[in-house]
Amino acid sequence: MAQVSIIVPVYQVEKYIRKCIESIQAQTFSDFELILVDDGSKDASGKICDEYAKKDDRIKVIHKKNEGVALARNDGIKLSKGKYVCFIDGDDWIEKFMIENCMNRILDTEADVIFHGYKQELWKNKVVINIEEKSTSDFLDTLTHSEMSEKMEQLWPYCSSYVWSYFFTRKIIKEERFPNVKISEDHIFILNVLKKCDKISFLNDFSYHYCMRMGSSANRWNDTGLFCQIKMIETCHEFMESFSISEQRKKKLMAQITLSAYSYAIYTFCFPECKISVKEKMRQLKKMKKQLNLNEFIPYVEMKGLSFSEKIKTKMICNKMEILLVLAGPIFMKVVRRA
């Protein structure tokens, strides 16, 4: 039985899946099983997966009807047998030492979860136009559950919404599954896992390459986004309740989280694909603000550490001027996409 299960959801990635698979095959740590979950791809992605499986007995392929990345990952978890589990997206790739580095760290620290850094590549027209390293350098140690409570303000930014930036023990995720939502499914899953952790360790490693492509599903309008953000906030509340944090600290943290969710909703309204009227956008934002109890948390919002543009946006929201963001955002987005 393989020590590590690597789960890759695959959907319409025929241009990228070969690089993904071959980067996994090239790992210096070879005791793994690779589970490719073809989520009803209409292109050649499924056939490419089968092609590699015929040549490498470590590779297993699941073909299923299209139900979304969350359920695809869940099917991968069900099939997996490894003592450790990690996820990689089908249009990303990893450097050859990544699994070995994660294994060394998790064995040395006996942690339930490893959180590692990554390189964020921004692609446009088949060319990388920017690469940015996302570090975990503020935490180069291992934290127990109680230490996570003590350092939650510093830790929170690292509760990443990307499940592929984590390396899990099977025991910590065996009862956990991704919720069937279109946005924030990673974040909800991660928070539900982390609240059960006795120990989390950080690895300042950039071997994972997250390839952001203009026009990808992560960068387009989704009409279920508002519901998903509300579901995510509910999970954040539950997460905070699992730690010994004072009410004052909880409100400051929830102010940050809630404002971020509300800002994301405004951001999604700026995509050219969003064709609903300004009046309807404002109606939905008003409803969301009420559901999030945003007005309760606004007094706890802090500007420290925010960039200039983030401060302007935050002040507009706190002063009920989000209509200006809704009106100007689509124009800005069109300019960015043409750049």
Side-chain angles (χ1 to χ4, degrees):
M1 184 174 68
Q3 279 207 70
V4 180
S5 295
I6 304 172
I7 299 169
V8 180
V10 176
Y11 181 69
Q12 305 290 85
V13 287
E14 63 180 3
K15 295 178 182 177
Y16 318 114
I17 190 61
R18 290 184 186 276
K19 183 172 184 177
C20 177
I21 294 172
E22 289 171 12
S23 74
I24 296 169
Q25 288 178 311
Q27 291 299 295
T28 53
F29 184 91
S30 59
D31 188 12
F32 64 80
E33 61 174 358
L34 171 56
I35 301 172
L36 302 170
V37 187
D38 173 26
D39 189 31
S41 297
K42 295 177 182 178
D43 64 4
S45 297
K47 291 181 180 178
I48 294 170
C49 292
D50 290 335
E51 173 190 325
Y52 280 90
K54 288 176 182 176
K55 300 175 183 177
D56 190 335
D57 60 10
R58 297 174 299 179
I59 300 176
K60 301 172 184 176
V61 182
I62 300 173
H63 295 284
K64 63 188 293 294
K65 68 177 182 179
N66 178 241
E67 295 180 297
V69 66
L71 298 187
R73 287 176 178 146
N74 287 344
D75 286 343
I77 294 173
K78 288 176 193 173
L79 186 63
S80 66
K81 304 293 184 185
K83 186 177 179 182
Y84 305 96
V85 180
C86 67
F87 300 88
I88 298 172
D89 281 355
D91 55 352
D92 296 338
W93 63 281
I94 59 175
E95 295 175 24
K96 65 180 182 179
F97 294 109
M98 196 194 95
I99 302 300
E100 181 179 354
N101 290 343
C102 288
M103 279 295 295
N104 288 340
R105 185 69 171 177
I106 208 162
L107 292 173
D108 288 346
T109 61
E110 297 183 340
D112 299 304
V113 174
I114 301 296
F115 174 70
H116 57 77
Y118 58 94
K119 288 189 180 82
Q120 179 175 289
E121 299 179 359
L122 181 60
W123 288 73
K124 186 176 182 181
N125 299 328
K126 300 181 181 180
V127 177
V128 179
I129 60 175
N130 187 55
I131 299 178
E132 185 178 353
E133 289 186 344
K134 300 293 186 176
S135 173
T136 66
S137 57
D138 288 347
F139 290 98
L140 293 180
D141 209 340
T142 302
L143 301 179
T144 63
H145 192 86
S146 60
E147 288 169 334
M148 288 171 69
S149 295
E150 294 168 9
K151 299 182 178 182
M152 187 58 68
E153 286 80 0
Q154 301 99 302
L155 176 65
W156 184 254
Y158 295 98
C159 293
S160 170
S161 58
Y162 301 123
V163 73
W164 41 252
S165 59
Y166 289 83
F167 191 84
F168 304 94
T169 57
R170 167 171 294 282
K171 67 179 182 179
I172 203 68
I173 68 164
K174 66 180 180 180
E175 303 299 330
E176 203 58 56
R177 292 296 182 269
F178 289 87
N180 187 20
V181 294
K182 301 297 183 184
I183 297 173
S184 298
E185 75 285 345
D186 286 41
H187 205 168
I188 294 169
F189 177 87
I190 291 163
L191 292 177
N192 285 334
V193 170
L194 291 182
K195 70 185 182 184
K196 299 186 294 186
C197 281
D198 291 325
K199 195 185 292 186
I200 180 172
S201 189
F202 296 82
L203 178 63
N204 207 32
D205 180 274
F206 306 102
S207 299
Y208 191 102
H209 289 248
Y210 168 39
C211 302
M212 289 183 66
R213 293 179 172 86
M214 298 300 290
S216 71
S217 61
N219 293 289
R220 287 192 178 276
W221 158 250
N222 188 309
D223 61 4
T224 64
L226 303 187
F227 164 77
C228 297
Q229 290 299 302
I230 291 166
K231 175 68 175 172
M232 188 269 288
I233 290 295
E234 290 172 356
T235 305
C236 289
H237 275 288
E238 294 169 5
F239 176 78
M240 293 298 172
E241 290 300 320
S242 70
F243 290 90
S244 301
I245 302 173
S246 69
E247 284 303 312
Q248 181 81 355
R249 290 177 65 205
K250 279 180 190 174
K251 287 196 172 182
K252 285 186 177 181
L253 286 163
M254 287 307 302
Q256 177 186 342
I257 299 159
T258 305
L259 189 70
S260 176
Y262 188 68
S263 297
Y264 182 80
I266 296 172
Y267 170 70
T268 64
F269 281 144
C270 297
F271 287 119
E273 294 84 7
C274 179
K275 302 300 183 183
I276 62 178
S277 67
V278 171
K279 183 178 180 180
E280 177 60 17
K281 289 176 182 178
M282 295 307 298
R283 188 194 70 79
Q284 290 193 29
L285 287 174
K286 183 178 180 181
K287 180 181 177 182
M288 185 180 187
K289 182 183 280 189
K290 185 176 180 180
Q291 288 175 308
L292 294 175
N293 293 321
L294 184 60
N295 290 335
E296 176 189 346
F297 297 113
I298 280 178
Y300 297 92
V301 171
E302 294 182 346
M303 299 290 182
K304 185 179 178 182
L306 297 181
S307 66
F308 177 75
S309 61
E310 287 172 335
K311 285 179 180 177
I312 295 296
K313 179 180 67 176
T314 300
K315 285 181 179 179
M316 283 185 174
I317 292 172
C318 291
N319 288 295
K320 301 179 181 180
M321 299 168 63
E322 49 266 75
I323 181 111
L324 297 178
L325 298 171
V326 170
L327 290 171
I331 299 169
F332 175 76
M333 193 68 71
K334 286 179 181 178
V335 171
V336 168
R337 286 193 175 183
R338 286 172 187 162

